[in-house]
Amino acid sequence: MLKSANFRIGETILGLASLGLGLFIGVETWSTPPIAAQTVIGPGLFPALIATGLILVGLQLLCEAYLHRLQAEEFPELDWKAVILVAAAFASQLVLLERLGWIVSGTFLFAVSAMAFGSRTHLRNLLIGLLLTALTYLVFDYGLDLDLPTGSYVEDLIDLAGGSV
Amino acid sequence: MNMDTLAALFHGFAVAATPYNLFWSLVGVTLGTAIGVLPGIGPALTVALLLPVTYGMEPTSAFIMFAGIYYGAMYGGSTTSILLNTPGESASIVTALDGHAMARKGRGAQALATAAIGSFVAGTIATIALTFVAPLMVKIALLFGPTEYFALMVLALTTVTAVLGDSLSRGLASLLFGLALGLVGIDLQTGQARFTLGISELLDGIDVVVVAVGLFAVGETLFTVARHCFETEELYQLKGSKWLSREDWRRSWKPWLRGTALGFPIGALPAGGSEIPTFLSYLTEKRLSKHPEEFGHGAIEAVAGPEAANNASAAGVLAPLLALGLPTSATAAIMLAAFQQYGIQPGPLLFDNNPELVWGLIASLYIGNVMLLLLNLPLAGVWVKLLAIPRPWLYSGILLFATMGAYTLNNNIVDVALLWIIGVIGFGMRVLNVPVAPCIVGLILGPLAEQQFRRALTISQGDASVFFTHPISLALIVIALTLVLVPTVLRWRAARQASEAANQAANQV
């Protein structure tokens, strides 16, 4: 009973998301001033079609949710705490990656997400994270000429150390 | 004409068989198998994650390596579904049914062997077929104008949506979301920026790789962490004889050939994909088998047939991809993105402008297949060890490599932010049972379809009836509509019958 009620909420979220995205694209397209370029079909037609589609599908999903015509589908049980932990660790990369660099922030991401998966060997997780990030840093920055960030703070530190020697 | 094809193929072998390219092919198949084996990583994600490795390589070698990764990931995926029962993509679900049952009975090694040899047989035959079908498709493609191309893309988009999953509205929501993501960036015809929200990094559009990695890797990781304390995995070690007995061979070889016969043509259709042929192969084998009661409990035919069909369709999918520039699976969509990254647009012109690349790639498929057979039969035990990586490390590693892949695309943090957002959306889609493939194919095909759409309407001076007056275009659109309407009507009738039956039952009580 609880499960199907949950699922109706899910269906509603999906419907609202489609509807919202459709409306957003529609309004945005509508309010963009037409461009002067001489084309038969402007840049607005295709977005308008997609917006219409999204709104229709959104309404259809809401209908399905409201009429509850689907066979009782299972809504999986979820460990929300673990999800939020991993999502937060990942989000921290947006701030940390370019400041602390790939090695430090990547190791942090690895260790936190391993913890969320129930691992309790924190020190070993940190070491493996360090090994993986250091290895990829070497391969990418020296082998493949791609730039994984060293980190602006780390660079400052290296400069400081270099300056004092 | 066939002589031309053979000459071109021969030239392709000259390109692919240089020690330098052979090395990249070997690296490709090894990495492809190794990453493809890991649970939770299907072929599409394998290709997306390994994309950064090829940056800085010249296109021909890069695509030879990609071909290896593509086939390798297909081989690796079957190992996972057989031993762990966690199919990495919908096409291996069928293999998992009986493959896992065989593993439970201690016949895992035989299941792996029949899958590997079947994949080799199917891959080789299907690559031969690809060699001759692709040039034919190019000839047909030259007859196509923008109108026909647009109709063809509509057909491809509809099949990807209508065939996968059991709810059409969910598939459509996923498809439209992908199409909407495809709108972001500068409009190619007028230069107008659309939906960039004032972020300059979005002017170039949203990268398919970010979306694929976000949905498959980040979304999947979030879903797995949410579920891991409720689920248990059973990994079966390989024991006993590794070889196929005479009986196994006898029961395998016909399913291999029949699976190939189903897989390649359906995969090569512009509306193909690999889900349908694997299911069809399973049903065919079950009907033809002398012991249908074994199906579901470890029948070797049920591994041999679908696995051959899966690999044959993987080769088939390359035909519309190379000849028409039309991806019909998530993996093909990422391959197309890889081409675009090198400024190459697959399609009829590719065969004229870049024969070295096309034929080198096709020739390397033959070579890669042989390498994969050699890698997979004796080394099966090594790949199985990869399955035993503790889950916390595996998924944390996936997150790490996902971040790295997104960051190294353009060396900016915006892609990582996008990856996070798409990952969270992917988690939601996974929870709500929304298929992911329509979104990815929609994202890559959307902008191409829009271009053809506007070109067609520009030629017809705004008259939208062209899509219905050109015969080829009309036929394609009718097929697309049939594919959507028939299952819907059937489902509706089934639901009505079920409810009537329920009513009658209730009345009788």
Side-chain angles (χ1 to χ4, degrees):
Chain A
M1 191 58 224
L2 185 84
K3 277 185 180 173
S4 62
N6 256 340
F7 203 77
R8 197 143 67 166
I9 295 169
E11 198 99 49
T12 312
I13 296 173
L14 193 62
L16 287 177
S18 301
L19 198 61
L21 184 62
L23 287 176
F24 169 75
I25 295 175
V27 169
E28 188 91 337
T29 308
W30 199 258
S31 59
T32 308
I35 217 159
Q38 284 297 316
T39 47
V40 183
I41 306 301
L45 181 60
F46 213 65
L49 286 176
I50 293 174
T52 317
L54 277 167
I55 292 170
L56 289 178
V57 169
L59 290 176
Q60 163 78 8
L61 283 163
L62 287 176
C63 259
E64 280 174 19
Y66 182 68
L67 297 174
H68 201 227
R69 273 201 309 197
L70 5 100
Q71 296 83 359
E73 283 191 59
E74 265 185 56
F75 188 83
E77 235 179 312
L78 300 170
D79 176 3
W80 285 104
K81 241 164 67 183
V83 178
I84 290 168
L85 190 59
V86 173
F90 197 108
S92 75
Q93 297 296 300
L94 302 180
V95 186
L96 300 181
L97 190 60
E98 288 186 330
R99 295 191 173 79
L100 296 180
W102 168 244
I103 297 185
V104 178
S105 72
T107 305
F108 172 73
L109 172 64
F110 188 92
V112 175
S113 103
M115 191 172 81
F117 270 93
S119 170
R120 290 288 162 264
T121 52
H122 302 303
L123 194 65
R124 207 188 312 167
N125 296 346
L126 278 171
L127 279 176
I128 292 176
L130 187 65
L131 197 74
L132 271 178
T133 48
L135 211 65
T136 42
Y137 182 81
L138 286 177
V139 169
F140 272 76
D141 286 38
Y142 294 97
L144 296 173
D145 269 340
L146 286 169
D147 290 320
L148 283 170
T150 315
S152 52
Y153 295 170
V154 177
E155 272 166 6
D156 289 348
L157 260 179
I158 295 174
D159 286 348
L160 263 179
S164 65
V165 168
Chain B
M1 176 255 141
N2 277 353
M3 284 316 288
D4 290 351
T5 306
L6 284 179
L9 181 66
F10 186 73
H11 188 70
F13 269 106
V15 174
T18 57
Y20 182 74
N21 284 336
L22 277 179
F23 170 74
W24 287 117
S25 183
L26 183 64
V27 172
V29 293
T30 315
L31 278 177
T33 316
I35 308 292
V37 155
L38 298 173
I41 304 190
L45 182 57
T46 308
V47 177
L49 281 179
L50 288 174
L51 206 58
V53 182
T54 58
Y55 297 164
M57 283 168 70
E58 53 117 0
T60 305
S61 306
F63 279 98
I64 284 177
M65 183 165 158
F66 260 119
I69 293 171
Y70 180 56
Y71 271 17
M74 304 298 295
Y75 274 72
S78 56
T79 307
T80 327
S81 42
I82 288 169
L83 294 180
L84 214 55
N85 199 15
T86 50
E89 53 149 19
S90 44
S92 0
I93 291 173
V94 183
T95 313
L97 290 175
D98 281 71
H100 195 62
M102 282 181 79
R104 228 178 290 136
K105 285 185 179 166
R107 306 222 321 128
Q110 281 73 30
L112 289 183
T114 197
I117 302 172
S119 298
F120 171 73
V121 171
T124 307
I125 298 175
T127 309
I128 297 173
L130 170 71
T131 310
F132 293 97
V133 168
L136 283 181
M137 240 184 215
V138 167
K139 288 209 167 154
I140 298 172
L142 292 174
L143 303 174
F144 278 22
T147 322
E148 286 79 11
Y149 262 115
F150 177 71
L152 193 63
M153 288 170 178
V154 170
L155 174 61
L157 289 173
T158 354
T159 22
V160 172
T161 313
V163 167
L164 295 172
D166 30 35
S167 151
L168 182 63
S169 23
R170 286 205 177 82
L172 278 175
S174 171
L175 172 71
L176 288 164
F177 175 55
L179 289 172
L181 288 177
L183 290 175
V184 174
I186 287 188
D187 171 39
L188 289 174
Q189 287 185 0
T190 56
Q192 189 182 58
R194 295 191 296 191
F195 308 102
T196 53
L197 311 172
I199 302 169
S200 64
E201 282 87 350
L202 287 182
L203 287 173
D204 285 335
I206 294 176
D207 212 295
V208 182
V209 174
V210 173
V211 177
V213 173
L215 293 178
F216 283 119
V218 182
E220 185 69 26
T221 303
L222 290 173
F223 186 71
T224 314
V225 80
R227 293 284 306 152
H228 89 279
C229 52
F230 305 110
E231 272 168 18
T232 48
E233 280 179 345
E234 295 172 276
L235 171 62
Y236 292 94
Q237 292 300 332
L238 299 182
K239 49 191 171 198
S241 162
K242 277 191 189 170
W243 303 104
L244 291 178
S245 67
R246 187 182 289 265
E247 169 78 4
D248 291 333
W249 280 96
R250 205 179 49 72
R251 290 178 60 178
S252 290
W253 70 272
K254 280 185 197 157
W256 290 338
L257 296 182
R258 283 193 289 257
T260 312
L262 283 171
F264 181 79
I266 300 181
L269 286 177
S274 54
E275 289 79 14
I276 302 172
T278 48
F279 276 100
L280 280 180
S281 164
Y282 186 86
L283 295 177
T284 313
E285 294 313 326
K286 190 167 178 182
R287 177 162 297 173
L288 293 174
S289 169
K290 289 193 190 94
H291 354 252
E293 74 285 352
E294 277 184 33
F295 277 66
H297 307 284
I300 195 166
E301 294 94 336
V303 180
E307 201 46 37
N310 190 8
N311 265 56
S313 72
V317 162
L318 291 178
L321 177 68
L322 292 173
L324 305 174
L326 193 74
T328 51
S329 70
T331 320
I334 296 163
M335 297 273 280
L336 182 58
F339 275 106
Q340 289 173 343
Q341 216 132 43
Y342 281 94
I344 300 168
Q345 184 62 50
L349 294 176
L350 183 66
F351 283 73
D352 279 340
N353 297 344
N354 234 327
E356 293 232 319
L357 191 147
V358 180
W359 291 103
L361 190 152
I362 293 177
S364 79
L365 291 173
Y366 289 92
I367 300 173
N369 241 322
V370 178
M371 288 183 180
L372 278 166
L373 187 68
L374 299 178
L375 271 179
N376 272 273
L377 279 184
L379 295 180
V382 177
W383 306 123
V384 173
K385 289 223 169 60
L386 285 175
L387 287 178
I389 295 179
R391 295 300 170 260
W393 295 346
L394 174 67
Y395 284 100
S396 306
I398 292 177
L399 272 189
L400 211 54
F401 283 99
T403 315
M404 187 176 88
Y407 188 86
T408 49
L409 272 179
N410 301 308
N411 273 335
N412 72 54
I413 204 81
V414 175
D415 283 323
V416 183
L418 271 177
L419 182 71
W420 188 84
I421 297 170
I422 306 249
V424 172
I425 294 175
F427 168 67
M429 289 170 76
R430 194 76 172 71
V431 172
L432 298 177
N433 205 7
V434 180
V436 169
C439 173
I440 291 171
V441 177
L443 168 60
I444 188 112
L445 266 189
L448 299 174
E450 182 183 8
Q451 271 188 55
Q452 304 292 1
F453 179 70
R454 285 159 73 174
R455 250 181 237 158
L457 286 181
T458 309
I459 295 170
S460 75
Q461 294 179 322
D463 177 10
S465 70
V466 281
F467 298 112
F468 307 102
T469 50
H470 286 206
I472 300 178
S473 156
L474 177 67
L476 291 168
I477 287 179
V478 167
I479 298 173
L481 276 176
T482 320
L483 282 171
V484 176
L485 292 179
V486 168
T488 317
V489 171
L490 287 179
R491 218 175 282 149
W492 181 72
R493 274 180 51 182
R496 214 179 55 167
Q497 275 168 4
S499 72
E500 270 171 17
N503 279 339
Q504 276 178 1
N507 289 340
Q508 276 167 5
V509 169

